[in-house]
Amino acid sequence: MTTIQSRKMLIDGELVNASNGATLPAENPTTEQVIGDLPDATAEDVDRAVAAARRASPEWSGTPWTQRGRLLRDYADLLDEHRDELAELDALDAGLPVASMRADVTSAANEIRYFAGLAGETKGQTIPSGPDQLTYTEFVPYPVVARIVPFNHPIKFISSKVAAALAAGAPVVAKPGEQSSLSALRLAELVKDLFPVGVLNIITGSGATAGAGLSGHPDVPRVAFTGSVPTGARIMAAGAPTIKHVSLELGGKNPMIVFPDAEAERAAVASVAAMNFARSMGQSCGSSSRVFVHRDVKDRFVNALVKRLSELKVGDPMRDDTDMGPIAFRAHYEKVCSYVEAGIEEGATLAHGGKRPAGLDTGFFIEPTAFTDVTMDMRIAKEEIFGPVVSVLDWDDYDEMIAQANDVEFGLTGNVWTNDISQALRTARHIDSGYISVNGTGKRPTGSPFGGFKSSGLGKESSLDELLSYGRNKSVTVIL
Ligand code: NAD
């Protein structure tokens, strides 16, 4: 059994345990064994981290953007240098296939370099205001940003989602999901001496104490959150008494729409990629979990879908040739399994999977699963499962199908498959979501703004919008 040496949080430039020594266990979802632990930050630890960030603010916000950009590029290089090690930690701790975690580290480093280059956009304007006046705006970074992220892309989120705030000149206190914190703790060791003291603090622990302590902290004016809708709602409420600027990247139940002119087999293979079966066992917010397939091509689509799913190799996430590992942790595994049962009970047809894979008796494994004959009154069509379960719904009336596609609380992504460009653009307009792919798998180029509509969130990330959201514009009028 691999055991990870106990690791510490980064607060105020020091690697520390929780102030009361409390820890949470880190469980390997492949072996179901405890492989290490993580500090369970207390309210006092949160206070220390927030105070450290605030102390670091005057110097960091006054650091020339070119220098901030240089440090961010060094940060990205550090990730690249430690790519394999960090990817292996995520594979052990969260069951995510190691090859896709390497790709996550590379993608995180690219996003950090993007924001390093963008840091100079934290500039102001002059406003024409007459011959005897000068009016200008100045970008004022927030003195501290709380960055709370979920369990599903552990190293990618904890490392890259601090980059925009740091580029903007705002110190950060970051917290990963408690189910997959080991790579964040290794990151804490790696960056300890990179940024000035207090500029980047990484704390670990429960949502109830570390997360809620941060998001409700009176000295934290800016909270950027990625996670579930219920937690997002709690974070908004926690921010209300001190009028925090809150941005939210939340869940999805994303439609993919296949038109009769699309090549059904290609669309089916793309739907497996868009559902992120292989990369993260469907544990991705942008996954296309509801596929609306036109009745004319449904049989061809479903045959190709089942064929592709049966090719996916489920097993040890530490192996390079594994497509799917286990679900990240026990409670989530049980939730995913309960949705499979609900689909069967509600009358959907189980076209593939739904069981523990043969030969994998230990670990939170489930076969890639597809339901057909799904209708919008079923829970599997409405609720976010966040696991390797795709629902196929058929359609022949466009307006009815679009109404169904939009008939969920979420509005994160959408995916359109057709060769008719006008139809594609019309449908992209009609889907009430924040990010649409046409004839793709949902892969996003660096710099493309990402963020949900409806309950899927508030604000846009991975773009200039995100950088600028970590500061305020101050307007100054000078009478000459
Ligand atoms: P979660 O909401 O349970 O937890 C996310 C983070 O919030 C964790 O760090 C957790 O400790 C913390 N937290 C929990 N309670 C808190 C509270 N009261 N106050 C402050 N912080 C608290 O989400 P999860 O289960 O880790 O992640 C899965 C969810 O994240 C899914 O809904 C998924 O769609 C969503 N997600 C969205 C995006 C996006 O970009 N839109 C990306 C990835 C995941």
Side-chain angles (χ1 to χ4, degrees):
M1 185 185 85
T2 315
T3 317
I4 314 290
Q5 216 187 338
S6 293
R7 288 193 165 130
K8 298 182 178 174
M9 307 185 286
L10 178 61
I11 299 180
D12 203 12
E14 287 174 23
L15 294 172
V16 295
N17 289 315
S19 55
N20 64 0
T23 58
L24 295 173
E27 192 180 3
N28 178 335
T30 308
T31 61
E32 301 183 35
Q33 290 183 337
V34 172
I35 51 167
D37 54 32
L38 47 130
D40 188 11
T42 61
E44 193 185 323
D45 298 321
V46 174
D47 284 346
R48 276 195 64 209
V50 171
R54 278 204 164 250
R55 271 195 305 278
S57 165
E59 192 188 323
W60 186 243
S61 61
T63 300
W65 75 265
T66 45
Q67 168 71 357
R68 292 201 299 262
R70 193 181 65 71
L71 284 175
L72 281 165
R73 274 189 287 275
D74 291 348
Y75 177 36
D77 292 346
L78 203 60
L79 282 174
D80 279 341
E81 281 158 31
H82 293 270
R83 184 190 69 155
D84 292 357
E85 176 195 356
L86 292 164
E88 280 165 24
L89 274 174
D90 280 353
L92 283 172
D93 194 20
L96 295 151
V98 69
S100 59
M101 289 303 94
R102 282 190 213 111
D104 264 17
V105 177
T106 301
S107 143
N110 286 342
E111 176 119 340
I112 292 164
R113 290 190 185 100
Y114 165 75
F115 281 115
L118 215 58
E121 292 304 310
T122 49
K123 59 197 180 195
Q125 297 174 315
T126 54
I127 288 92
S129 54
D132 300 327
Q133 287 188 18
L134 170 66
T135 298
Y136 65 90
T137 65
E138 189 179 21
F139 180 84
V140 184
Y142 281 109
V144 49
V145 170
R147 203 59 176 99
I148 302 173
V149 297
F151 72 84
N152 60 314
H153 287 287
I155 187 60
K156 176 174 165 169
F157 282 169
I158 196 68
S159 62
S160 67
K161 284 191 178 287
V162 301
L166 294 178
V172 175
V173 181
K175 188 193 109 50
E178 58 271 41
Q179 306 87 353
S180 57
S181 293
L182 295 184
S183 57
L185 293 169
R186 177 65 182 128
L187 183 73
E189 293 174 351
L190 295 175
V191 298
K192 177 178 170 293
D193 298 319
L194 180 65
F195 295 106
V197 168
V199 165
L200 177 58
N201 305 273
I202 299 176
I203 64 168
T204 55
S206 72
T209 302
L214 252 185
S215 60
H217 201 289
D219 291 337
V220 173
R222 173 79 176 92
V223 181
F225 173 71
T226 306
S228 65
V229 174
T231 309
R234 266 179 229 124
I235 283 174
M236 268 191 108
T242 48
I243 319 294
K244 296 187 195 311
H245 177 167
V246 173
S247 57
L248 304 167
E249 282 290 348
L250 308 177
K253 188 74 187 175
N254 309 299
M256 170 166 169
I257 295 164
V258 181
F259 282 85
D261 71 311
E263 196 192 315
E265 290 75 15
R266 264 188 69 211
V269 170
S271 78
V272 173
M275 181 58 210
N276 297 301
F277 274 105
R279 189 160 158 245
S280 55
M281 290 68 76
Q283 300 165 123
S284 249
C285 55
S287 299
S288 297
S289 52
R290 290 180 300 149
V291 189
F292 291 85
V293 183
H294 194 276
R295 288 212 170 95
D296 287 356
V297 289
K298 183 193 159 191
D299 289 346
R300 279 169 54 204
F301 181 94
V302 171
N303 288 340
L305 171 67
V306 167
K307 177 172 177 292
R308 178 72 194 116
L309 291 180
S310 62
E311 289 163 0
L312 295 180
K313 192 165 170 202
V314 187
D316 182 357
M318 294 298 281
R319 286 180 58 118
D320 264 6
D321 61 349
T322 294
D323 293 310
M324 286 179 58
I327 299 294
F329 56 100
R330 182 183 298 277
H332 191 47
Y333 175 65
E334 286 165 2
K335 179 179 158 193
V336 171
C337 292
S338 77
Y339 273 109
V340 173
E341 281 164 29
I344 294 167
E345 274 166 26
E346 286 174 321
T349 304
L350 185 61
H352 186 80
K355 306 184 300 299
R356 176 178 279 282
L360 291 171
D361 299 330
T362 307
F364 308 133
F365 288 99
I366 182 161
E367 293 170 329
T369 300
F371 281 107
T372 55
D373 305 315
V374 177
T375 51
M376 281 305 294
D377 53 343
M378 298 179 185
R379 284 181 59 212
I380 56 168
K382 288 264 193 196
E383 297 172 20
E384 186 186 39
I385 301 174
F386 212 56
V389 182
V390 71
S391 294
V392 178
L393 302 92
D394 29 273
W395 65 278
D396 50 22
D397 180 273
Y398 178 79
D399 292 338
E400 208 175 279
M401 177 274 294
I402 286 290
Q404 291 186 356
N406 290 330
D407 184 23
V408 285
E409 65 168 319
F410 307 100
L412 193 58
T413 70
N415 195 339
V416 184
W417 273 74
T418 176
N419 293 316
D420 176 342
I421 185 68
S422 302
Q423 185 64 72
L425 298 182
R426 251 195 314 273
T427 309
R429 280 214 172 133
H430 290 162
I431 299 176
D432 199 8
S433 297
Y435 197 95
I436 308 291
S437 305
V438 175
N439 295 336
T441 57
K443 264 192 132 187
R444 290 177 283 125
T446 308
S448 42
F450 186 71
F453 288 2
K454 301 193 278 182
S455 293
S456 287
L458 268 184
K460 288 284 179 191
E461 293 198 348
S462 305
S463 57
L464 181 61
D465 315 51
E466 183 183 359
L467 179 87
L468 299 181
S469 78
Y470 294 117
R472 293 116 329 144
N473 269 336
K474 180 179 283 187
S475 299
V476 179
T477 295
V478 184
I479 308 300
L480 301 173

CSV table of all heavy atoms in Angstrom, one decimal, residues 179-201:
chain,number,residue,atom,x,y,z
A,179,GLN,N,-12.0,15.9,-0.3
A,179,GLN,CA,-11.9,14.5,-0.7
A,179,GLN,C,-10.6,14.3,-1.5
A,179,GLN,O,-10.3,13.1,-1.8
A,179,GLN,CB,-13.1,14.1,-1.5
A,179,GLN,CG,-14.4,14.3,-0.8
A,179,GLN,CD,-15.0,15.7,-1.0
A,179,GLN,OE1,-14.3,16.6,-1.6
A,179,GLN,NE2,-16.2,16.0,-0.6
A,180,SER,N,-10.0,15.4,-1.9
A,180,SER,CA,-8.8,15.2,-2.8
A,180,SER,C,-7.8,16.3,-2.6
A,180,SER,O,-7.5,17.1,-3.6
A,180,SER,CB,-9.3,15.1,-4.3
A,180,SER,OG,-10.0,16.3,-4.6
A,181,SER,N,-7.3,16.4,-1.4
A,181,SER,CA,-6.4,17.6,-1.1
A,181,SER,C,-4.9,17.3,-1.1
A,181,SER,O,-4.1,18.2,-0.9
A,181,SER,CB,-6.8,18.1,0.3
A,181,SER,OG,-8.0,18.6,0.4
A,182,LEU,N,-4.5,16.0,-1.4
A,182,LEU,CA,-3.1,15.7,-1.2
A,182,LEU,C,-2.2,16.5,-2.2
A,182,LEU,O,-1.1,16.9,-1.9
A,182,LEU,CB,-2.9,14.2,-1.4
A,182,LEU,CG,-3.5,13.3,-0.3
A,182,LEU,CD1,-3.1,11.9,-0.5
A,182,LEU,CD2,-3.1,13.8,1.1
A,183,SER,N,-2.7,16.6,-3.5
A,183,SER,CA,-1.9,17.4,-4.4
A,183,SER,C,-1.8,18.8,-4.1
A,183,SER,O,-0.8,19.5,-4.3
A,183,SER,CB,-2.4,17.2,-5.9
A,183,SER,OG,-3.8,17.6,-6.0
A,184,ALA,N,-2.9,19.4,-3.5
A,184,ALA,CA,-2.8,20.8,-3.0
A,184,ALA,C,-1.8,21.0,-1.9
A,184,ALA,O,-1.1,22.0,-1.9
A,184,ALA,CB,-4.2,21.2,-2.5
A,185,LEU,N,-1.7,20.0,-1.1
A,185,LEU,CA,-0.7,20.1,0.0
A,185,LEU,C,0.8,20.0,-0.5
A,185,LEU,O,1.7,20.6,-0.1
A,185,LEU,CB,-0.9,19.0,1.1
A,185,LEU,CG,-2.2,19.2,1.9
A,185,LEU,CD1,-2.6,18.0,2.7
A,185,LEU,CD2,-2.2,20.5,2.7
A,186,ARG,N,0.9,19.2,-1.6
A,186,ARG,CA,2.2,19.1,-2.2
A,186,ARG,C,2.5,20.4,-2.9
A,186,ARG,O,3.6,20.9,-2.9
A,186,ARG,CB,2.3,17.9,-3.2
A,186,ARG,CG,3.5,17.8,-4.0
A,186,ARG,CD,4.7,17.5,-3.1
A,186,ARG,NE,6.0,17.4,-3.9
A,186,ARG,CZ,7.1,18.1,-3.5
A,186,ARG,NH1,7.2,18.8,-2.4
A,186,ARG,NH2,8.2,17.9,-4.3
A,187,LEU,N,1.5,21.0,-3.5
A,187,LEU,CA,1.6,22.3,-4.2
A,187,LEU,C,2.1,23.3,-3.1
A,187,LEU,O,2.9,24.2,-3.4
A,187,LEU,CB,0.3,22.7,-4.8
A,187,LEU,CG,0.4,24.0,-5.6
A,187,LEU,CD1,1.1,23.9,-6.9
A,187,LEU,CD2,-1.1,24.6,-5.9
A,188,ALA,N,1.5,23.3,-1.9
A,188,ALA,CA,1.9,24.2,-0.9
A,188,ALA,C,3.4,24.1,-0.6
A,188,ALA,O,4.0,25.2,-0.5
A,188,ALA,CB,1.1,23.9,0.4
A,189,GLU,N,3.9,22.9,-0.6
A,189,GLU,CA,5.4,22.8,-0.4
A,189,GLU,C,6.2,23.4,-1.5
A,189,GLU,O,7.2,24.1,-1.3
A,189,GLU,CB,5.8,21.3,-0.3
A,189,GLU,CG,5.2,20.6,0.9
A,189,GLU,CD,5.5,19.1,0.9
A,189,GLU,OE1,6.0,18.6,-0.1
A,189,GLU,OE2,5.2,18.4,1.9
A,190,LEU,N,5.6,23.2,-2.7
A,190,LEU,CA,6.4,23.7,-3.9
A,190,LEU,C,6.4,25.2,-4.0
A,190,LEU,O,7.4,25.8,-4.5
A,190,LEU,CB,5.8,23.1,-5.2
A,190,LEU,CG,5.9,21.5,-5.4
A,190,LEU,CD1,5.1,21.1,-6.6
A,190,LEU,CD2,7.3,21.1,-5.4
A,191,VAL,N,5.3,25.8,-3.6
A,191,VAL,CA,5.2,27.3,-3.9
A,191,VAL,C,5.6,28.1,-2.6
A,191,VAL,O,5.6,29.3,-2.7
A,191,VAL,CB,3.8,27.8,-4.3
A,191,VAL,CG1,3.5,27.1,-5.6
A,191,VAL,CG2,2.8,27.5,-3.3
A,192,LYS,N,6.0,27.4,-1.6
A,192,LYS,CA,6.3,28.1,-0.3
A,192,LYS,C,7.2,29.3,-0.5
A,192,LYS,O,6.9,30.4,0.1
A,192,LYS,CB,6.9,27.1,0.7
A,192,LYS,CG,7.3,27.7,2.0
A,192,LYS,CD,7.8,26.6,3.0
A,192,LYS,CE,8.4,27.3,4.2
A,192,LYS,NZ,9.6,28.0,4.0
A,193,ASP,N,8.3,29.1,-1.2
A,193,ASP,CA,9.2,30.2,-1.3
A,193,ASP,C,9.1,31.0,-2.7
A,193,ASP,O,10.0,31.8,-3.0
A,193,ASP,CB,10.7,29.7,-1.1
A,193,ASP,CG,10.8,29.1,0.2
A,193,ASP,OD1,10.3,29.7,1.2
A,193,ASP,OD2,11.4,28.0,0.4
A,194,LEU,N,8.1,30.7,-3.4
A,194,LEU,CA,8.0,31.3,-4.7
A,194,LEU,C,7.4,32.8,-4.7
A,194,LEU,O,8.0,33.7,-5.2
A,194,LEU,CB,7.1,30.5,-5.7
A,194,LEU,CG,6.9,31.0,-7.1
A,194,LEU,CD1,8.3,31.0,-7.8
A,194,LEU,CD2,5.9,30.1,-7.8
A,195,PHE,N,6.3,32.9,-4.0
A,195,PHE,CA,5.6,34.2,-4.0
A,195,PHE,C,6.0,34.9,-2.6
A,195,PHE,O,6.4,34.2,-1.7
A,195,PHE,CB,4.1,34.1,-4.0
A,195,PHE,CG,3.6,33.5,-5.3
A,195,PHE,CD1,3.2,32.2,-5.4
A,195,PHE,CD2,3.6,34.3,-6.5
A,195,PHE,CE1,2.7,31.6,-6.6
A,195,PHE,CE2,3.1,33.7,-7.7
A,195,PHE,CZ,2.7,32.4,-7.7
A,196,PRO,N,5.9,36.2,-2.6
A,196,PRO,CA,6.2,36.9,-1.3
A,196,PRO,C,5.3,36.3,-0.2
A,196,PRO,O,4.1,35.8,-0.5
A,196,PRO,CB,5.9,38.3,-1.6
A,196,PRO,CG,6.0,38.5,-3.0
A,196,PRO,CD,5.7,37.2,-3.6
A,197,VAL,N,5.7,36.4,1.0
A,197,VAL,CA,5.0,35.8,2.2
A,197,VAL,C,3.5,36.3,2.2
A,197,VAL,O,3.3,37.5,2.1
A,197,VAL,CB,5.7,36.1,3.5
A,197,VAL,CG1,4.8,35.8,4.7
A,197,VAL,CG2,7.0,35.4,3.6
A,198,GLY,N,2.6,35.3,2.3
A,198,GLY,CA,1.2,35.7,2.5
A,198,GLY,C,0.4,35.9,1.2
A,198,GLY,O,-0.8,36.0,1.2
A,199,VAL,N,1.1,35.9,0.0
A,199,VAL,CA,0.4,36.2,-1.3
A,199,VAL,C,-0.4,35.0,-1.7
A,199,VAL,O,-1.5,35.2,-2.2
A,199,VAL,CB,1.5,36.5,-2.3
A,199,VAL,CG1,0.9,36.5,-3.8
A,199,VAL,CG2,2.0,37.9,-2.1
A,200,LEU,N,0.1,33.8,-1.4
A,200,LEU,CA,-0.7,32.6,-1.7
A,200,LEU,C,-0.7,31.7,-0.5
A,200,LEU,O,0.3,31.2,0.0
A,200,LEU,CB,-0.1,31.8,-2.9
A,200,LEU,CG,-0.9,30.5,-3.3
A,200,LEU,CD1,-2.4,30.8,-3.6
A,200,LEU,CD2,-0.2,29.8,-4.5
A,201,ASN,N,-1.9,31.5,0.1
A,201,ASN,CA,-2.1,30.7,1.2
A,201,ASN,C,-3.0,29.5,0.8
A,201,ASN,O,-4.0,29.7,0.1
A,201,ASN,CB,-2.8,31.4,2.4
A,201,ASN,CG,-2.1,32.7,2.7
A,201,ASN,OD1,-1.2,32.7,3.6
A,201,ASN,ND2,-2.4,33.8,2.1
